[in-house]
Amino acid sequence: MSQDFGINQAFVDELYHRWQENHVSVGERWNRYFEALDSGGAPNGNGYGNGHGNGHVEVGAMRAPAAPTTLSIPPAQAAVQQLAQRVNQLIHAYRLRGHLWAHLDPLGLATHPPKELEPTAFGLTAADLDAVVPTGDLVGLGAEARVRDIVAWCEETYCRTIAVEFMHIEDLRARKWLCERMESTANRLAMTAQKQLRVLGRLIDAEIFEQFLHTNFLGAKRFSLEGGESLIPLMDLVLERLGELGAEEVIIGMAHRGRLNVLYNIMQKSPKDIFARFLDRHPEQNVGRGDVKYHLGYSSDRPLPDGRSMHLSLSFNPSHLEFVNPVVEGRVRAKQDRRGDHDRARVVPLLVHGDAAFIGQGVVAETLNLMNLEGYTTGGTVHVVVNNQVGFTTSPDDARSTRYATDLAKMLGTPIFHVNGEDPEAVAQVAHLAAEYRQEFRSDVVIDMLCYRKWGHNEGDEPRFTQPVMYATIDKKPSVRTAYVARLLEDGKVNRDQVDQLASARKESLDRALTETKATAHPPVDNALAGLWSKYKGGADASVPEVVTGVEVERLKGLIEKVTEIPADLKVSPKLRNIIEDRRERANGRPLDWGTAEALAYATLLEDGARIRLSGQDARRGTFSHRHSVWTDIETGRAYTPYSALGKAPACFEVWDSALSECGVLGFDYGYSLDYPDGLVMWEAQFGDFANGAQVIIDQFISSGEDKWSRLSGIVLLLPHGFEGQGPEHSSARLERFLPLCAEDNLVVCNPTTPAQIFHLLRRQVLRPWRKPLIVMTPKSHLRSKDAVSPLEDLGEGTAFRRVIPDPTVDPQRARKVLLCSGKIYYDLVAERTKRGADDVAVIRLEQLYPLSQQELSGVLAPYRDGTPLVWTQEDPWNMGGWYFLAARLPGLIGGRLPLSCAARDESASPATGSAASHKLEHTRLMEAAFA
């Protein structure tokens, strides 16, 4: 080493010789060398030191060696090295920043920052442009090229009508893969005449369909794709490439814009079904039900070039645009699990977004965050942003704080392809790149297709009120199809007759379909309950028989032994060991607590062949430490599931501690339930009121999916509930939010009071062929209460869930009052009755609040004398809980012979007090009101 400058002359010579052999770029070599010196290490034989630099440098950050007077580098070599370094910096700058100067906006209204990529910014003179230098790791120009050719190649690759953000990706292999794919072709897809005609045909399909609807259903809302027609060839090519790479099924989620076009041109839905929705001639069919035509889903089989077929499903979608995202991800995960697609290559999610919604809706971030989580990953999603450059009437400057609508996706380190939608061949290139990247790296990938919308937010909207300059430009623009035809005509790839014949054939086909639709009296048919769902039923509760859910006592005892057996090589904490041993002892006659009964429900279902999925915040242990479904070795951290030995495939027990997300995770689990009707799929809120963070999923999907889209779900929501002095957000699961959503037997809402009841309730959810979402108000304090226990016999053969539990301790003929209640307050009322010696007050438990069973409830109340006061008693404030709901329904169910009233906490704007002393005072007053 030189004592003056600390530079290894032998290493410098090696750099030069390796440059001559084109083994590595000089700039990268120097960069690694100086990183080694900066980190205090010595360079090794590969040009690395003990430091760990990544070999990437920002613009202007490359350090050339100092100019020591004693350094023995020939002047010619030094000049070549310095020039190579500058060119290397320039190449890196194009990869990193080239997207800022690409021609992306088809309207030409976008502004660009001052260009930093001029050769002079890197110390390159006009004379240097004709110098021949090594190309380093730039692909596509050979080992050496003129500087001007390198600049032109980078410009073509990164600043044309495709702009790529990928240098933020941590995976070096992924970055190199992208460089090779893009730079080897200057980011152009080799377009055969056949492929060009295919792209043109898809553009014609898209445009003719929109024009046909506009002409024949003038003024009807359809959320036209005009201005963004390139979405159709984009999706077409993505699907084709995914199929070539092994995908067998694709689940699509998208909002309104272009949905009808996708249904027709991608999903191949009959145009007669679409037109029938416009004509809307069967009002009796959809009274109080159904949904608008641009929310509907569809499934079809798409033939692939190799003779196979790809199954496509377009998921139904509410007007909360992006909330379908986690639902699609859940559906994909369920299908992957059912197929055994552990590589996650055969079932792929494809999500189509709007630009304003992608950056603006929090559920997008929640869904993106699921990508690499073990319990929620689907192996990557292809995201397509249809970037109209305006959200309803809101301009981008008012809608986001970032340059791009897609900047949110950078948090995952995914590539983002921005493409000008007016260049169909650039769209084709990114379609191929995106599909290939997803299948190669099992990662999300984003396509941001910049376009415009010809009309306003919908066809009745006037966009010139708010975007007059934009629409002055749009009004003058030819369509994407027209521009592409002109290009192909100029290149001699097509002739005018070919184009006209394609357009005429499409229009004639639509004309025939409309004529036939007008001539028929049959409404469109949606066969939702086919295939996987053929064994299950929706509709009225009373139309499906109940099932016996009890299990032989000896089998239950054996299962308790199995799920409490600690492996010899697993060292659990002493506290957990005590809990497990306590649970084990319950096989010998001790009453069961909640956790043991829940464990037995899972164990019996697993042995019966059912798949179980439970997810939520802290679901493995349980927020209140009752579940302990995963045991952790205190020395190694190894996790063990006591259910792992139960059941055979496809039976499987999965429990996942979720991200701190309600909306995204509940949406995912709801989606999972849509494609796993034969399993038990549960989502647990950490506290019941946290479900308010997922209210859109509850309102728009769970409660109304059957009514709107004829789609069933058996999702279970476990919501901890009970007023125990823990404050407003830790007391109420907001029963009053769910009960008003109940109609037409769409939900099951229960507040069970015993371990046996939760055992039967969870088993009933799987064994009964009636599939409805189940909302369970679960306990907190009485998870370990000495009173809230059940003998093993209550789970035994011949037993079942009880919707109403009578009071056997009070003679109905001498009762002066009947307290009707639900949930934890039952134990408070019984304790208060004992304290008061009020043995003439009956306490009846309503375990299932909806659907209410008139037969069972009337049967339990029938023995009581006419005129006996019936008091609905609840922990909740008077304006919350079940009172309003029951006050409207009970009189019609039981008649007027038992005067109905309510005992509750005072009316309140907040569910509960934050003061423990106030809570006790309220409880005392509530007991007084109940027994007065």
Side-chain angles (χ1 to χ4, degrees):
M1 297 288 290
S2 167
Q3 297 300 313
D4 293 334
F5 300 99
I7 295 177
N8 188 322
Q9 183 63 51
F11 177 63
V12 171
D13 292 340
E14 183 199 357
L15 278 180
Y16 178 65
H17 291 306
R18 284 182 179 260
W19 162 71
Q20 289 181 316
E21 297 167 5
N22 196 38
H23 284 176
V24 69
S25 73
V26 172
E28 184 175 357
R29 223 24 162 176
W30 276 112
N31 189 36
R32 293 174 179 175
Y33 178 75
F34 280 103
E35 283 178 347
L37 296 181
D38 289 342
S39 65
N44 60 30
N46 292 322
Y48 288 94
N50 296 328
H52 302 285
N54 62 11
H56 292 280
V57 186
E58 296 296 327
V59 176
M62 181 72 73
R63 282 211 316 171
T69 57
T70 61
L71 185 61
S72 299
I73 302 176
Q77 293 179 19
V80 171
Q81 290 169 4
Q82 291 175 1
L83 182 59
Q85 288 175 32
R86 294 174 187 140
V87 172
N88 183 264
Q89 288 180 351
L90 180 61
I91 293 169
H92 179 78
Y94 267 102
R95 292 168 175 167
L96 182 69
R97 306 270 287 167
H99 63 89
L100 295 174
W101 296 280
H103 303 288
L104 298 176
D105 181 8
L107 300 178
L109 301 176
T111 59
H112 301 280
K115 194 159 187 180
E116 302 168 6
L117 301 181
E118 298 297 339
T120 53
F122 298 85
L124 297 170
T125 66
D128 292 329
L129 295 180
D130 288 315
V132 176
V133 297
T135 55
D137 61 355
L138 180 69
V139 183
L141 287 180
E144 296 179 340
R146 293 188 307 168
V147 174
R148 70 170 66 253
D149 294 332
I150 291 174
V151 173
W153 196 257
C154 289
E155 188 80 13
E156 183 76 0
T157 302
Y158 295 112
C159 297
R160 192 171 44 88
T161 51
I162 299 174
V164 190
E165 295 182 272
F166 70 105
M167 294 297 281
H168 58 282
I169 300 174
E170 293 182 7
D171 186 346
L172 177 60
R173 187 174 77 89
R175 293 201 306 271
K176 286 184 174 180
W177 186 93
L178 285 165
C179 283
E180 290 170 0
R181 290 297 193 281
M182 296 186 295
E183 292 171 3
S184 62
T185 63
N187 230 351
R188 289 182 181 273
L189 183 67
M191 298 287 289
T192 63
Q194 182 181 8
K195 180 151 281 190
Q196 287 176 319
L197 280 174
R198 175 177 180 159
V199 169
L200 175 60
R202 304 311 267 154
L203 287 173
I204 290 173
D205 291 343
E207 183 176 310
I208 293 296
F209 180 75
E210 294 294 350
Q211 290 177 348
F212 187 87
L213 294 180
H214 188 75
T215 301
N216 288 279
F217 305 103
L218 187 63
K221 191 185 293 186
R222 69 181 194 277
F223 293 94
S224 166
L225 189 60
E226 289 172 273
E229 294 95 336
S230 289
L231 175 66
I232 299 304
L234 190 159
M235 292 182 68
D236 181 56
L237 293 171
V238 166
L239 294 171
E240 179 185 65
R241 191 70 185 119
L242 286 172
E244 291 170 349
L245 297 172
E248 299 169 358
E249 190 164 0
V250 176
I251 313 299
I252 303 170
M254 68 178 298
H256 306 349
R257 185 149 323 279
R259 189 182 188 91
L260 295 176
N261 213 309
V262 168
L263 280 167
Y264 173 58
N265 284 309
I266 298 297
M267 303 300 299
Q268 299 298 302
K269 185 172 186 176
S270 166
K272 292 190 286 186
D273 285 346
I274 296 173
F275 297 155
R277 300 281 180 182
F278 279 93
L279 295 171
D280 200 14
R281 290 179 171 175
H282 305 279
E284 72 288 345
Q285 183 186 33
N286 291 311
V287 173
R289 64 180 64 246
D291 203 352
V292 292
K293 49 192 167 290
Y294 42 81
H295 286 177
L296 301 180
Y298 191 68
S299 295
S300 62
D301 291 311
R302 173 193 177 96
L304 296 174
D306 63 2
R308 295 181 299 118
S309 66
M310 172 188 284
H311 186 67
L312 302 180
S313 293
L314 176 63
S315 291
F316 39 79
N317 199 95
S319 280
H320 282 77
L321 309 181
E322 297 291 334
F323 287 83
V324 75
N325 298 351
V327 175
V328 166
E329 300 295 341
R331 291 192 62 194
V332 169
R333 176 62 177 254
K335 287 175 178 289
Q336 290 173 343
D337 289 349
R338 187 176 291 283
R339 286 173 175 263
D341 181 15
H342 304 301
D343 291 336
R344 312 208 182 280
R346 290 185 283 156
V347 187
V348 179
L350 170 59
L351 294 175
V352 183
H353 313 267
D355 51 318
F358 189 84
I359 190 67
Q361 294 285 301
V363 69
V364 178
E366 290 190 36
T367 306
L368 289 172
N369 186 51
L370 301 178
M371 183 184 84
N372 289 322
L373 304 185
E374 185 183 0
Y376 307 89
T377 183
T378 56
T381 301
V382 179
H383 299 272
V384 178
V385 177
V386 179
N387 194 335
N388 300 307
Q389 307 184 73
V390 60
F392 202 160
T393 66
T394 306
S395 298
D397 288 346
D398 296 316
R400 61 178 186 258
S401 298
T402 60
R403 173 177 290 276
Y404 298 117
T406 53
D407 283 338
L408 181 67
K410 289 181 182 177
M411 73 181 194
L412 293 180
T414 62
I416 302 170
F417 300 100
H418 307 282
V419 61
N420 188 324
E422 204 164 47
D423 185 348
E425 295 188 8
V427 169
Q429 164 71 351
V430 300
H432 275 240
L433 278 174
E436 291 164 5
Y437 187 91
R438 191 277 173 193
Q439 293 297 78
E440 176 70 22
F441 295 99
R442 301 295 188 273
S443 166
D444 281 27
V445 60
V446 179
I447 299 172
D448 177 23
M449 188 187 81
L450 281 86
C451 53
Y452 58 91
R453 61 181 196 205
K454 183 174 180 179
W455 311 104
H457 176 66
N458 59 63
E459 288 65 36
D461 186 41
E462 176 48 81
R464 292 160 189 81
F465 289 149
T466 50
Q467 276 78 32
V469 175
M470 173 183 280
Y471 275 84
T473 302
I474 290 172
D475 290 341
K476 300 172 186 174
K477 282 194 70 61
S479 69
V480 178
R481 187 260 295 221
T482 301
Y484 191 51
V485 166
R487 174 177 163 184
L488 295 181
L489 287 173
E490 184 179 350
D491 292 343
K493 300 293 181 67
V494 298
N495 59 57
R496 176 58 65 182
D497 287 342
Q498 284 178 293
V499 175
D500 292 343
Q501 287 172 10
L502 283 171
S504 296
R506 301 299 192 270
K507 186 177 182 305
E508 288 171 7
S509 174
L510 293 172
D511 279 330
R512 285 195 302 272
L514 180 57
T515 300
E516 292 172 7
T517 306
K518 289 178 177 179
T520 183
H522 300 294
V525 176
D526 183 7
N527 190 15
L529 299 181
L532 191 63
W533 280 94
S534 60
K535 297 185 294 184
Y536 301 97
K537 298 180 182 299
D541 177 24
S543 68
V544 180
E546 287 286 1
V547 292
V548 175
T549 50
V551 176
E552 302 90 339
V553 169
E554 290 304 314
R555 180 184 170 197
L556 294 173
K557 289 181 178 180
L559 285 171
I560 292 179
E561 296 282 346
K562 287 182 180 180
V563 300
T564 57
E565 183 176 347
I566 304 174
D569 61 346
L570 188 74
K571 295 182 179 179
V572 300
S573 74
K575 288 184 178 180
L576 177 57
R577 182 176 291 275
N578 290 338
I579 292 171
I580 296 169
E581 290 176 352
D582 177 80
R583 184 170 290 177
R584 189 178 186 86
E585 290 174 8
R586 297 181 188 275
N588 300 317
R590 288 182 58 203
L592 305 182
D593 62 2
W594 194 279
T596 307
E598 183 185 313
L600 285 173
Y602 301 151
T604 54
L605 288 170
L606 286 168
E607 280 201 335
D608 292 341
R611 188 184 191 99
I612 298 173
R613 176 187 171 90
L614 166 62
S615 85
Q617 294 154 21
D618 313 294
R620 287 171 172 150
R621 190 199 74 177
T623 297
F624 307 103
S625 198
H626 83 286
R627 182 171 294 122
H628 295 287
S629 57
V630 175
W631 305 339
T632 305
D633 190 298
I634 59 176
E635 293 183 358
T636 66
R638 178 169 69 96
Y640 171 77
T641 302
Y643 305 99
S644 57
L646 299 176
K648 297 180 180 179
C652 173
F653 180 82
E654 291 183 314
V655 57
W656 303 106
D657 288 341
S658 74
L660 194 64
S661 155
E662 289 82 37
C663 184
V665 173
L666 177 56
F668 185 99
D669 288 323
Y670 169 74
Y672 196 99
S673 74
L674 295 175
D675 284 279
Y676 231 110
D678 44 338
L680 178 63
V681 183
M682 298 168 286
W683 175 77
E684 182 174 61
Q686 190 177 59
F687 285 89
D689 197 40
F690 290 6
N692 58 12
Q695 202 64 42
V696 172
I697 301 297
I698 294 167
D699 291 350
Q700 303 285 320
F701 291 93
I702 292 175
S703 68
S704 57
E706 181 181 7
D707 214 35
K708 293 193 292 188
W709 310 307
S710 300
R711 294 309 192 268
L712 303 180
S713 165
I715 183 75
V716 179
L717 275 61
L718 302 175
L719 309 178
H721 177 81
F723 286 66
E724 295 152 353
Q726 295 189 45
E729 277 71 58
H730 291 172
S731 297
S732 175
R734 294 288 196 171
L735 181 62
E736 68 278 358
R737 280 196 181 133
F738 294 96
L739 291 177
L741 298 175
C742 294
E744 301 175 289
D745 292 359
N746 62 326
L747 299 174
V748 180
V749 181
C750 296
N751 196 356
T753 56
T754 71
Q757 285 287 81
I758 193 64
F759 172 85
H760 292 299
L761 186 58
L762 294 177
R763 283 180 54 78
R764 184 182 74 169
Q765 189 71 1
V766 176
L767 299 180
R768 195 180 184 210
W770 193 63
R771 281 293 174 272
K772 298 295 173 96
L774 169 62
I775 315 300
V776 186
M777 304 283 123
T778 60
K780 295 180 295 183
S781 63
H782 71 269
L783 288 170
R784 281 173 291 277
S785 168
K786 293 180 180 179
D787 297 320
V789 294
S790 298
L792 193 59
E793 290 71 24
D794 283 1
L795 284 61
E797 192 171 6
T799 57
F801 179 75
R802 304 171 73 185
R803 300 183 184 210
V804 186
I805 301 179
D807 187 345
T809 67
V810 175
D811 180 359
Q813 289 301 305
R814 56 183 297 271
R816 68 175 176 87
K817 179 183 288 191
V818 177
L819 302 180
L820 183 63
C821 67
S822 187
K824 182 187 76 69
I825 196 173
Y826 165 76
Y827 296 101
D828 297 329
L829 293 172
V830 169
E832 185 70 16
R833 180 174 65 182
T834 301
K835 174 182 173 183
R836 291 171 177 259
D839 58 2
D840 57 352
V841 176
V843 184
I844 296 174
R845 285 170 276 179
L846 187 58
E847 301 280 288
Q848 180 169 303
L849 291 98
Y850 191 82
L852 282 169
S853 171
Q854 181 174 7
Q855 181 180 359
E856 290 188 48
L857 188 56
S858 298
V860 169
L861 294 175
Y864 294 92
R865 293 170 296 144
D866 290 357
T868 304
L870 177 64
V871 182
W872 170 253
T873 309
Q874 64 181 33
E875 299 177 282
D876 320 65
W878 183 82
N879 58 308
M880 299 180 189
W883 170 235
Y884 281 12
F885 177 80
L886 292 169
R889 293 180 181 247
L890 282 179
L893 290 176
I894 62 176
R897 67 183 194 86
L898 303 179
L900 180 64
S901 63
C902 176
R905 280 180 164 80
D906 291 341
E907 186 176 33
S908 175
S910 174
T913 177
S915 162
S918 296
H919 167 76
K920 292 177 181 178
L921 176 61
E922 290 175 354
H923 181 76
T924 300
R925 291 174 175 173
L926 175 57
M927 292 298 103
E928 182 63 32
F931 285 92

